[in-house]
Structure formats: C-alpha cells, structure tokens
Amino acid sequence: MGLSGNPQSEIAEETLDPQDWGALKALSHEIVDDSIAYLRDIRDRPSWRSMPAEVKAFFTSPLPRKPAGIAGIYRDVTEKLMPYPMGNNHPRFWSWYMGAGNYTGALGDFLAAIQGSNLGGGNHAAALLDQQVVSWCKEMMGFPASASGTLTTGGSEANLLALTVARNAKAGVDVRELGIAAIDKPLRFYASDQVHSCHRKAVEALGLGNRALRLIPTEKDFRIDIAALRQAIAKDRAKGFKPACLIATAGTVNSGAIDDLNALADLAAEQDLWFHVDGCVGALLAISPENAWRVAGIERAHSLAFDPHKGLHAPFEAGCVLIKDAAQHRAAFAVTPEYLESTPRGLAAGAWLHEYGLQTSRGFRALKIWLALKEQGIDKFGRLIDQAIAQGQYLSGLIEKEQRLELLVPTTINIVCFRYRPAQHLTEEALKALNTEIMLRLQEQGIATLSDTTLRGRHCLRVAVSNHRTRYSDLDLLVGELLRIGADLGP
Ligand SMILES: *Cc1c(COP(=O)(O)O)cnc(C)c1O
C-alpha cells in the first residue's frame, strides 16, 4: 500500500501511449519517407494488380490478443497492403469517378487525428476551421453567406441530407414528429433516368419508397427531357400525388451529361418544387475558367451536393451539402439532448455542427481540404478541372481517329464512353464480351484502370479523367495498348 492509501497505487496503470517515444519517432520518420517515395514513384508501379493468395490469407488472421511491435506490423503493411491499392492515386486510374488524392491532404488527415477534435461542434479551433471550409464551399458555388452547409462522408450522404430537408420542407406536416404516414398526398421526386443510385437509397431510407422517385427519360445527349418532366409532374398532380422535389444532375456518372440547370430552376419555381442539384461530378466546374458556363444556374438550387473527394482530390472521405435556407436545414436535424446543451462560455459555447446532419461525432475532414486549398489556391483547382476536361476531349479526338474505336456519345466533359469494334460484324453480346476482356487485361497488366457501363442498351468502356496526375501521353498510351490488346484478342 502506498502512502496515499489508494489500493490502485501499486498496480501498473496502462495507456496506449508508447513507453519509448523515441522509437516511435524514428518509425514515424521512416513512414513519412516511405510515403513520399510512394507517391513520387507512383507512375512506375502498375495502376492495379491482383493480390496473391498469401496476401488474401494474411487478412484472415485471428483477432490479436497480445501486443506486437509496431515496427513489425508496419513491415506487414508495406508488404501486404501498400502494393495493392485501389489505384485511384495512379496517373492512369480512370474508373468510375474519383479524386486522385494529394500528399498535403494526407498530412491533413494525420494532423486531424493527432489533434483529435470531434467536429460534432463546440468552442474550439477545428470547429471554426470546419465552418470556414463550408463558407468557402458556398462562395465557390455562388451560394449566399446566409446559406448553410456541412461536410459529409461523401456525395451519397450529402444527397441524403438534402433530400431529407426537401422532404420535410414539402411534406405539409411535421414529418419529424408524425412520420411519413401523416403526409396527406404521397410525395413525388423527379430526376433523369441517369440519376445516381444513391438517390434511390435516399428515397427508400426516407420512407418514401423507390416509386416516389420518378425517372424521367433523357434526350439523345442524356440530359433530362424537360417536356417529359413537365408532363410527368402534371400527370402525378392529376392522380393525387404531390410533386415535391426536382433533382437535377450536374454531370451524370454514366456520361457526364449536365442537365439544363436554369431551365430546371425555372420549372421548379413555376411548379413550387424543391430544386436539388447533384453536382458530385460537375458542381466544381463552377470554379473553372473555361467550363463554368456549363453549370450556370447551379447557384439557384435550394440544395446542392458535391464531392471534395472527387473534384478537389481530397483523400477519402469528404463530401459537402449546401442548403440555401439555413433554418430549414437546421430544422431537419437539430435535437438538443440534455447532455449537449450549450453553455454561455467554455467548450460548449460554440456552434453545434451535429445539428446539420445525422452524425453526432464527426471527423475533422475539413483540415485536409483547408490545407490543400490554402496551399494550391482555388484558381489552380479550377485550372485542373479545365485540364481534365481538355484531356477528355483529347481522348475523344484520339478515339474518333481510330477506325476500330467508336465513341458512344459525344464527350461533354471528362467522361468518355467508347468501345472497341473490329471490322468484322459482332453482336452486341460479343462486343460486350470483347470489351470486357480488353478492360480486364488493361487492369491485370497494370496499364490502366477503366470501368464500363451500358448506355441505352449498348455496353461501353468508360474513362473518367478526373485525375490531376494524368498526362496527355497517358491517354496516347491507353489508346495504343487498347488497340494492341484488341488485335491480340482476334476478330
Ligand atoms: C459519386 C457520385 C455520387 C455519390 O457520391 P459518393 O461520394 O460516392 O458517396 C452521387 N452522385 C453522383 C453524380 C456521383 O458521381
């Protein structure tokens, strides 16, 4: 027993902090050195590689019960994890639609974790920084300072939050208190048949059901057919539904089509609908000198979702939703339990950021965005978007020049949809099999990572050039290798 009489005093107390900070410091320096080399030399590695069986087996090892040295664990990380990334940091990764990360952003994630702040809110510097990033987002998108917003895990959550505010604002009853069963007429939301799948998940999660999301046909260029939309709204009204929300897509994931935002804003105003824009692909065109005109009208949205982890290359995760009417935004999510009451001074005197979304604890994802925006300046990010679009146009040009390649839709921005088509006639099915095989070989040979999709029943390969590391020569290489593999495959 110690003098204090504390029965605990002779039991060794435990902590997660190391006993030897010096050793951890040396390892940390090694990790930083390795990380810089990893990004610096990324071009020399394959864009993707499949994992050998031993690597797959490694990730089935049992729950660790006893400690192990971090240096050894880090060695496993360098051998079993780092060589097998998704690949989106690689200059020739063009699948789906992603950002390519940036080193400063990675430092931001590290520093955020070291500082450790919880962005649920409160009176501390990280909360001010978070709100500053949201303010910058409003400014980039032409939203007024009076609007509100929040950083989210990604675009899916950003869209869900926006559609929640839209549902509550248009329900005509207190949905938070009474639930959707109390809504007088079933709500209807409208979007093009190209709308991202997260909207379906959102209307389902909101209890409206998938049928509440009316998919309107698109024109040849995959933009929403406004006459068809107008008809659908009128028909629904006549049938006793309540048209509530118009979801415009600024940059479809399939082909990059941008709905006519001004025309849709006009229609929403005329029909008294909430006007939401899903700008996960294209909203950031608003900051680009050459292409901002394509998203004219975006600032008229009642709500806007976009993705810093795409167009701003923030390391995952970082999405953002902006809501024009801050009071409606807060009214959709704010709850003040007794353990989260504000105080006049001290830590609980700051804004409660959890009142603008579904999370209570929130990560400090603002820092990685803030650092990169300060370091590079917004003008550079705007130019990178123009560069990506110019690269998309360049690839389209290369494809048009090749007899064996066929563009499936004229390229609007930085998403290029095309297929390999040999001289000999092939059925759609055979073309799909051939193009899928080409795509897989490009991946497996580590040359380039594309994805595929189907446009009006025609399968195609899809290149989304949203990568600040891509050079024009990478696109030349892609076309050369594609033709080589196509020829190897035969017909
Ligand atoms: C990527 C994307 C989403 C979903 O965003 P996540 O960040 O992946 O959750 C929604 N809509 C569009 C148009 C997208 O491209």
Side-chain angles (χ1 to χ4, degrees):
M1 276 279 185
L3 285 177
S4 67
N6 179 349
Q8 303 285 327
S9 63
E10 288 178 6
I11 300 171
E13 289 167 303
E14 292 199 295
T15 168
L16 296 176
D17 283 337
Q19 283 184 324
D20 178 2
W21 284 99
L24 199 54
K25 184 168 163 181
L27 176 66
S28 301
H29 286 156
E30 190 187 326
I31 291 175
V32 169
D33 288 348
D34 291 351
S35 300
I36 287 176
Y38 187 89
L39 276 192
R40 184 194 58 208
D41 303 334
I42 198 157
R43 181 172 280 283
D44 303 333
R45 291 198 300 276
S47 63
W48 182 82
R49 62 167 78 153
S50 67
M51 291 172 282
E54 60 148 52
V55 168
K56 291 184 180 166
F58 175 75
F59 293 104
T60 63
S61 59
L63 176 67
R65 296 232 163 242
K66 297 277 190 278
I70 187 65
I73 300 168
Y74 176 61
R75 202 165 329 110
D76 285 338
V77 166
T78 60
E79 289 167 9
K80 307 288 199 310
L81 175 79
M82 298 305 278
Y84 307 101
M86 182 174 222
N88 52 297
N89 288 353
H90 191 279
R92 289 188 298 277
F93 179 95
W94 302 304
S95 289
W96 305 298
Y97 200 99
M98 296 187 198
N102 71 91
Y103 185 78
T104 300
L107 288 180
D109 262 352
F110 177 72
L111 290 170
I114 291 296
Q115 205 236 14
S117 293
N118 183 333
L119 272 290
N123 182 15
H124 55 91
L128 298 184
L129 188 153
D130 178 285
Q131 288 174 289
Q132 183 173 35
V133 169
V134 171
S135 294
W136 289 346
C137 288
K138 291 188 242 175
E139 198 176 328
M140 285 189 261
M141 295 300 149
F143 269 50
S146 60
S148 72
T150 189
L151 298 177
T152 63
T153 49
S156 302
E157 187 195 356
N159 281 305
L160 171 65
L161 297 185
L163 298 193
T164 308
V165 180
R167 180 199 64 180
N168 295 8
K170 291 295 177 186
V173 294
D174 183 351
V175 184
R176 287 191 63 184
E177 200 54 34
L178 302 173
I180 45 162
I183 298 175
D184 184 24
K185 294 176 176 175
L187 303 182
R188 286 292 179 256
F189 286 34
Y190 303 85
S192 87
D193 58 17
Q194 299 295 304
V195 74
H196 190 274
S197 56
C198 72
H199 295 275
R200 172 177 176 166
K201 287 196 198 177
V203 293
E204 289 175 2
L206 290 173
L208 301 172
N210 183 35
R211 281 191 203 164
L213 181 60
R214 295 286 208 231
L215 299 185
I216 307 299
T218 42
E219 311 254 19
K220 264 217 299 280
D221 57 5
F222 293 100
R223 294 175 5 138
I224 194 167
D225 177 339
I226 294 184
L229 169 61
R230 189 180 273 285
Q231 272 177 12
I233 294 169
K235 227 172 166 177
D236 280 344
R237 258 193 231 291
K239 282 198 209 153
F241 294 111
K242 180 167 185 189
C245 175
L246 193 53
I247 302 166
T249 301
T252 62
V253 70
N254 264 337
S255 69
I258 299 170
D259 288 338
D260 184 339
L261 302 181
N262 270 316
L264 293 177
D266 289 343
L267 183 64
E270 175 200 306
Q271 297 283 329
D272 190 28
L273 304 178
W274 184 276
F275 180 44
H276 174 67
V277 175
D278 178 352
C280 287
V281 165
L284 280 158
L285 264 60
I287 63 166
S288 72
E290 308 280 329
N291 288 283
W293 61 272
R294 295 181 191 275
V295 292
I298 200 164
E299 72 291 347
R300 296 174 64 191
H302 294 115
S303 56
L304 168 63
F306 73 101
D307 251 344
H309 66 205
K310 292 180 179 169
L312 295 180
H313 305 287
F316 293 113
E317 302 162 336
C320 180
V321 62
L322 301 178
I323 310 278
K324 190 68 68 57
D325 183 329
Q328 279 177 322
H329 186 183
R330 191 173 174 282
F333 301 107
V335 181
T336 308
E338 65 281 9
Y339 43 82
L340 286 177
E341 277 176 10
S342 295
T343 51
R345 300 190 320 281
L347 179 54
W352 287 119
L353 304 176
H354 69 83
E355 293 184 333
Y356 296 90
L358 294 167
Q359 292 182 276
T360 306
S361 293
R362 297 177 63 242
F364 187 12
R365 54 177 62 91
L367 183 56
K368 59 192 165 197
I369 305 172
W370 187 90
L371 282 174
L373 286 181
K374 283 220 169 205
E375 179 196 23
Q376 306 285 356
I378 200 63
D379 294 350
K380 169 102 162 257
F381 282 100
R383 290 197 303 274
L384 284 173
I385 286 162
D386 282 339
Q387 174 175 298
I389 292 173
Q391 287 172 334
Q393 308 291 332
Y394 175 76
L395 175 61
S396 286
L398 296 180
I399 289 166
E400 281 175 320
K401 271 188 254 154
E402 287 296 337
Q403 279 203 324
R404 283 178 289 157
L405 299 178
E406 176 188 25
L407 214 53
L408 263 75
V409 56
T411 303
T412 327
I413 48 171
N414 46 340
I415 299 178
V416 183
C417 295
F418 67 102
R419 61 185 177 181
Y420 181 83
R421 204 166 78 163
Q424 166 194 346
H425 178 77
L426 293 180
T427 61
E428 286 294 320
E429 211 174 316
L431 276 173
K432 178 172 182 179
L434 175 61
N435 278 275
T436 303
E437 185 59 27
I438 292 173
M439 175 179 76
L440 296 180
R441 289 193 184 195
L442 283 167
Q443 289 177 9
E444 285 165 348
Q445 294 175 21
I447 297 163
T449 310
L450 326 185
S451 57
D452 60 349
T453 192
T454 300
L455 296 174
R456 302 205 204 289
R458 294 195 297 171
H459 174 262
C460 61
L461 301 178
R462 187 179 157 286
V463 171
V465 197
S466 57
N467 187 323
H468 62 86
R469 295 194 179 91
T470 297
R471 297 181 191 152
Y472 287 96
S473 54
D474 290 310
L475 300 167
D476 294 329
L477 186 140
L478 168 68
V479 170
E481 293 293 281
L482 226 150
L483 292 172
R484 174 184 65 77
I485 294 173
D488 281 354
L489 280 168

PDB file of all heavy atoms in Angstrom, residues 6-26:
ATOM      1  N   ASN A   6      -4.316   4.593  -1.643  1.00  0.00           N
ATOM      2  CA  ASN A   6      -5.052   4.215  -2.858  1.00  0.00           C
ATOM      3  C   ASN A   6      -4.724   2.770  -3.210  1.00  0.00           C
ATOM      4  O   ASN A   6      -3.562   2.445  -3.466  1.00  0.00           O
ATOM      5  CB  ASN A   6      -4.647   5.165  -3.988  1.00  0.00           C
ATOM      6  CG  ASN A   6      -5.337   4.839  -5.285  1.00  0.00           C
ATOM      7  OD1 ASN A   6      -5.969   3.791  -5.409  1.00  0.00           O
ATOM      8  ND2 ASN A   6      -5.203   5.724  -6.245  1.00  0.00           N
ATOM      9  N   PRO A   7      -5.723   1.898  -3.204  1.00  0.00           N
ATOM     10  CA  PRO A   7      -5.434   0.483  -3.481  1.00  0.00           C
ATOM     11  C   PRO A   7      -4.881   0.277  -4.893  1.00  0.00           C
ATOM     12  O   PRO A   7      -4.288  -0.755  -5.183  1.00  0.00           O
ATOM     13  CB  PRO A   7      -6.800  -0.191  -3.302  1.00  0.00           C
ATOM     14  CG  PRO A   7      -7.808   0.883  -3.501  1.00  0.00           C
ATOM     15  CD  PRO A   7      -7.170   2.143  -3.032  1.00  0.00           C
ATOM     16  N   GLN A   8      -5.105   1.241  -5.781  1.00  0.00           N
ATOM     17  CA  GLN A   8      -4.641   1.098  -7.165  1.00  0.00           C
ATOM     18  C   GLN A   8      -3.155   1.425  -7.294  1.00  0.00           C
ATOM     19  O   GLN A   8      -2.547   1.152  -8.322  1.00  0.00           O
ATOM     20  CB  GLN A   8      -5.406   2.088  -8.074  1.00  0.00           C
ATOM     21  CG  GLN A   8      -6.909   1.945  -8.048  1.00  0.00           C
ATOM     22  CD  GLN A   8      -7.374   0.744  -8.827  1.00  0.00           C
ATOM     23  OE1 GLN A   8      -6.763   0.375  -9.816  1.00  0.00           O
ATOM     24  NE2 GLN A   8      -8.441   0.112  -8.380  1.00  0.00           N
ATOM     25  N   SER A   9      -2.586   2.066  -6.280  1.00  0.00           N
ATOM     26  CA  SER A   9      -1.291   2.716  -6.495  1.00  0.00           C
ATOM     27  C   SER A   9      -0.167   1.730  -6.804  1.00  0.00           C
ATOM     28  O   SER A   9       0.847   2.118  -7.340  1.00  0.00           O
ATOM     29  CB  SER A   9      -0.924   3.576  -5.300  1.00  0.00           C
ATOM     30  OG  SER A   9      -0.775   2.734  -4.169  1.00  0.00           O
ATOM     31  N   GLU A  10      -0.327   0.471  -6.442  1.00  0.00           N
ATOM     32  CA  GLU A  10       0.755  -0.464  -6.750  1.00  0.00           C
ATOM     33  C   GLU A  10       0.465  -1.296  -7.987  1.00  0.00           C
ATOM     34  O   GLU A  10       1.236  -2.158  -8.361  1.00  0.00           O
ATOM     35  CB  GLU A  10       1.037  -1.346  -5.531  1.00  0.00           C
ATOM     36  CG  GLU A  10       1.728  -0.526  -4.460  1.00  0.00           C
ATOM     37  CD  GLU A  10       2.007  -1.306  -3.194  1.00  0.00           C
ATOM     38  OE1 GLU A  10       1.763  -2.528  -3.183  1.00  0.00           O
ATOM     39  OE2 GLU A  10       2.464  -0.682  -2.228  1.00  0.00           O
ATOM     40  N   ILE A  11      -0.666  -1.037  -8.625  1.00  0.00           N
ATOM     41  CA  ILE A  11      -0.980  -1.739  -9.871  1.00  0.00           C
ATOM     42  C   ILE A  11      -0.513  -0.846 -11.014  1.00  0.00           C
ATOM     43  O   ILE A  11      -0.790   0.353 -11.026  1.00  0.00           O
ATOM     44  CB  ILE A  11      -2.501  -1.983  -9.980  1.00  0.00           C
ATOM     45  CG1 ILE A  11      -2.965  -2.840  -8.797  1.00  0.00           C
ATOM     46  CG2 ILE A  11      -2.852  -2.633 -11.307  1.00  0.00           C
ATOM     47  CD1 ILE A  11      -4.465  -2.971  -8.688  1.00  0.00           C
ATOM     48  N   ALA A  12       0.216  -1.419 -11.945  1.00  0.00           N
ATOM     49  CA  ALA A  12       0.703  -0.616 -13.064  1.00  0.00           C
ATOM     50  C   ALA A  12      -0.493  -0.128 -13.892  1.00  0.00           C
ATOM     51  O   ALA A  12      -1.318  -0.925 -14.316  1.00  0.00           O
ATOM     52  CB  ALA A  12       1.635  -1.454 -13.929  1.00  0.00           C
ATOM     53  N   GLU A  13      -0.577   1.159 -14.072  1.00  0.00           N
ATOM     54  CA  GLU A  13      -1.670   1.689 -14.894  1.00  0.00           C
ATOM     55  C   GLU A  13      -1.260   1.623 -16.351  1.00  0.00           C
ATOM     56  O   GLU A  13      -0.091   1.805 -16.687  1.00  0.00           O
ATOM     57  CB  GLU A  13      -1.970   3.125 -14.473  1.00  0.00           C
ATOM     58  CG  GLU A  13      -2.623   3.168 -13.112  1.00  0.00           C
ATOM     59  CD  GLU A  13      -2.652   4.563 -12.533  1.00  0.00           C
ATOM     60  OE1 GLU A  13      -1.586   5.172 -12.387  1.00  0.00           O
ATOM     61  OE2 GLU A  13      -3.764   5.039 -12.250  1.00  0.00           O
ATOM     62  N   GLU A  14      -2.244   1.389 -17.196  1.00  0.00           N
ATOM     63  CA  GLU A  14      -1.937   1.190 -18.615  1.00  0.00           C
ATOM     64  C   GLU A  14      -2.347   2.402 -19.438  1.00  0.00           C
ATOM     65  O   GLU A  14      -3.221   3.167 -19.046  1.00  0.00           O
ATOM     66  CB  GLU A  14      -2.677  -0.046 -19.132  1.00  0.00           C
ATOM     67  CG  GLU A  14      -2.149  -1.340 -18.537  1.00  0.00           C
ATOM     68  CD  GLU A  14      -2.533  -2.544 -19.371  1.00  0.00           C
ATOM     69  OE1 GLU A  14      -3.746  -2.832 -19.470  1.00  0.00           O
ATOM     70  OE2 GLU A  14      -1.634  -3.181 -19.928  1.00  0.00           O
ATOM     71  N   THR A  15      -1.734   2.544 -20.580  1.00  0.00           N
ATOM     72  CA  THR A  15      -2.097   3.594 -21.547  1.00  0.00           C
ATOM     73  C   THR A  15      -1.744   3.089 -22.932  1.00  0.00           C
ATOM     74  O   THR A  15      -0.966   2.140 -23.073  1.00  0.00           O
ATOM     75  CB  THR A  15      -1.325   4.897 -21.253  1.00  0.00           C
ATOM     76  OG1 THR A  15      -1.490   5.801 -22.360  1.00  0.00           O
ATOM     77  CG2 THR A  15       0.178   4.630 -21.104  1.00  0.00           C
ATOM     78  N   LEU A  16      -2.302   3.726 -23.929  1.00  0.00           N
ATOM     79  CA  LEU A  16      -1.954   3.361 -25.305  1.00  0.00           C
ATOM     80  C   LEU A  16      -0.694   4.094 -25.771  1.00  0.00           C
ATOM     81  O   LEU A  16      -0.155   3.787 -26.831  1.00  0.00           O
ATOM     82  CB  LEU A  16      -3.124   3.673 -26.243  1.00  0.00           C
ATOM     83  CG  LEU A  16      -4.395   2.859 -25.971  1.00  0.00           C
ATOM     84  CD1 LEU A  16      -5.529   3.321 -26.886  1.00  0.00           C
ATOM     85  CD2 LEU A  16      -4.155   1.363 -26.161  1.00  0.00           C
ATOM     86  N   ASP A  17      -0.284   5.098 -25.024  1.00  0.00           N
ATOM     87  CA  ASP A  17       0.933   5.810 -25.411  1.00  0.00           C
ATOM     88  C   ASP A  17       2.145   4.885 -25.251  1.00  0.00           C
ATOM     89  O   ASP A  17       2.142   4.000 -24.400  1.00  0.00           O
ATOM     90  CB  ASP A  17       1.125   7.055 -24.532  1.00  0.00           C
ATOM     91  CG  ASP A  17       0.187   8.184 -24.965  1.00  0.00           C
ATOM     92  OD1 ASP A  17      -0.253   8.178 -26.136  1.00  0.00           O
ATOM     93  OD2 ASP A  17      -0.097   9.065 -24.133  1.00  0.00           O
ATOM     94  N   PRO A  18       3.167   5.110 -26.087  1.00  0.00           N
ATOM     95  CA  PRO A  18       4.340   4.226 -26.028  1.00  0.00           C
ATOM     96  C   PRO A  18       5.184   4.525 -24.793  1.00  0.00           C
ATOM     97  O   PRO A  18       5.133   5.628 -24.254  1.00  0.00           O
ATOM     98  CB  PRO A  18       5.097   4.596 -27.309  1.00  0.00           C
ATOM     99  CG  PRO A  18       4.726   6.022 -27.565  1.00  0.00           C
ATOM    100  CD  PRO A  18       3.303   6.159 -27.108  1.00  0.00           C
ATOM    101  N   GLN A  19       5.952   3.540 -24.371  1.00  0.00           N
ATOM    102  CA  GLN A  19       6.923   3.794 -23.291  1.00  0.00           C
ATOM    103  C   GLN A  19       8.123   4.532 -23.864  1.00  0.00           C
ATOM    104  O   GLN A  19       8.747   5.323 -23.196  1.00  0.00           O
ATOM    105  CB  GLN A  19       7.364   2.472 -22.675  1.00  0.00           C
ATOM    106  CG  GLN A  19       6.295   1.916 -21.756  1.00  0.00           C
ATOM    107  CD  GLN A  19       6.748   0.643 -21.061  1.00  0.00           C
ATOM    108  OE1 GLN A  19       7.472  -0.179 -21.637  1.00  0.00           O
ATOM    109  NE2 GLN A  19       6.311   0.477 -19.824  1.00  0.00           N
ATOM    110  N   ASP A  20       8.402   4.229 -25.126  1.00  0.00           N
ATOM    111  CA  ASP A  20       9.592   4.809 -25.758  1.00  0.00           C
ATOM    112  C   ASP A  20       9.157   5.684 -26.939  1.00  0.00           C
ATOM    113  O   ASP A  20       8.978   5.196 -28.052  1.00  0.00           O
ATOM    114  CB  ASP A  20      10.504   3.660 -26.223  1.00  0.00           C
ATOM    115  CG  ASP A  20      11.751   4.177 -26.937  1.00  0.00           C
ATOM    116  OD1 ASP A  20      11.916   5.416 -27.040  1.00  0.00           O
ATOM    117  OD2 ASP A  20      12.550   3.341 -27.391  1.00  0.00           O
ATOM    118  N   TRP A  21       8.968   6.958 -26.664  1.00  0.00           N
ATOM    119  CA  TRP A  21       8.550   7.859 -27.749  1.00  0.00           C
ATOM    120  C   TRP A  21       9.635   7.957 -28.818  1.00  0.00           C
ATOM    121  O   TRP A  21       9.339   8.183 -29.998  1.00  0.00           O
ATOM    122  CB  TRP A  21       8.239   9.262 -27.198  1.00  0.00           C
ATOM    123  CG  TRP A  21       6.914   9.360 -26.479  1.00  0.00           C
ATOM    124  CD1 TRP A  21       6.719   9.314 -25.131  1.00  0.00           C
ATOM    125  CD2 TRP A  21       5.623   9.541 -27.074  1.00  0.00           C
ATOM    126  NE1 TRP A  21       5.373   9.453 -24.841  1.00  0.00           N
ATOM    127  CE2 TRP A  21       4.668   9.596 -26.026  1.00  0.00           C
ATOM    128  CE3 TRP A  21       5.165   9.658 -28.382  1.00  0.00           C
ATOM    129  CZ2 TRP A  21       3.311   9.757 -26.236  1.00  0.00           C
ATOM    130  CZ3 TRP A  21       3.806   9.829 -28.595  1.00  0.00           C
ATOM    131  CH2 TRP A  21       2.894   9.873 -27.523  1.00  0.00           C
ATOM    132  N   GLY A  22      10.866   7.797 -28.413  1.00  0.00           N
ATOM    133  CA  GLY A  22      11.983   7.925 -29.367  1.00  0.00           C
ATOM    134  C   GLY A  22      11.884   6.894 -30.488  1.00  0.00           C
ATOM    135  O   GLY A  22      12.078   7.220 -31.656  1.00  0.00           O
ATOM    136  N   ALA A  23      11.545   5.654 -30.129  1.00  0.00           N
ATOM    137  CA  ALA A  23      11.454   4.596 -31.142  1.00  0.00           C
ATOM    138  C   ALA A  23      10.300   4.886 -32.102  1.00  0.00           C
ATOM    139  O   ALA A  23      10.409   4.689 -33.319  1.00  0.00           O
ATOM    140  CB  ALA A  23      11.249   3.235 -30.473  1.00  0.00           C
ATOM    141  N   LEU A  24       9.216   5.402 -31.532  1.00  0.00           N
ATOM    142  CA  LEU A  24       8.055   5.700 -32.376  1.00  0.00           C
ATOM    143  C   LEU A  24       8.371   6.858 -33.320  1.00  0.00           C
ATOM    144  O   LEU A  24       7.895   6.904 -34.455  1.00  0.00           O
ATOM    145  CB  LEU A  24       6.853   6.042 -31.480  1.00  0.00           C
ATOM    146  CG  LEU A  24       5.504   5.930 -32.146  1.00  0.00           C
ATOM    147  CD1 LEU A  24       5.299   4.565 -32.783  1.00  0.00           C
ATOM    148  CD2 LEU A  24       4.395   6.196 -31.127  1.00  0.00           C
ATOM    149  N   LYS A  25       9.180   7.775 -32.821  1.00  0.00           N
ATOM    150  CA  LYS A  25       9.581   8.913 -33.650  1.00  0.00           C
ATOM    151  C   LYS A  25      10.392   8.433 -34.852  1.00  0.00           C
ATOM    152  O   LYS A  25      10.156   8.849 -35.988  1.00  0.00           O
ATOM    153  CB  LYS A  25      10.415   9.869 -32.787  1.00  0.00           C
ATOM    154  CG  LYS A  25      10.831  11.128 -33.476  1.00  0.00           C
ATOM    155  CD  LYS A  25      11.388  12.084 -32.421  1.00  0.00           C
ATOM    156  CE  LYS A  25      12.195  13.193 -33.068  1.00  0.00           C
ATOM    157  NZ  LYS A  25      12.740  14.102 -32.051  1.00  0.00           N
ATOM    158  N   ALA A  26      11.305   7.530 -34.604  1.00  0.00           N
ATOM    159  CA  ALA A  26      12.133   7.012 -35.700  1.00  0.00           C
ATOM    160  C   ALA A  26      11.262   6.295 -36.724  1.00  0.00           C
ATOM    161  O   ALA A  26      11.404   6.490 -37.937  1.00  0.00           O
ATOM    162  CB  ALA A  26      13.191   6.060 -35.144  1.00  0.00           C
TER     163      ALA A  26
END
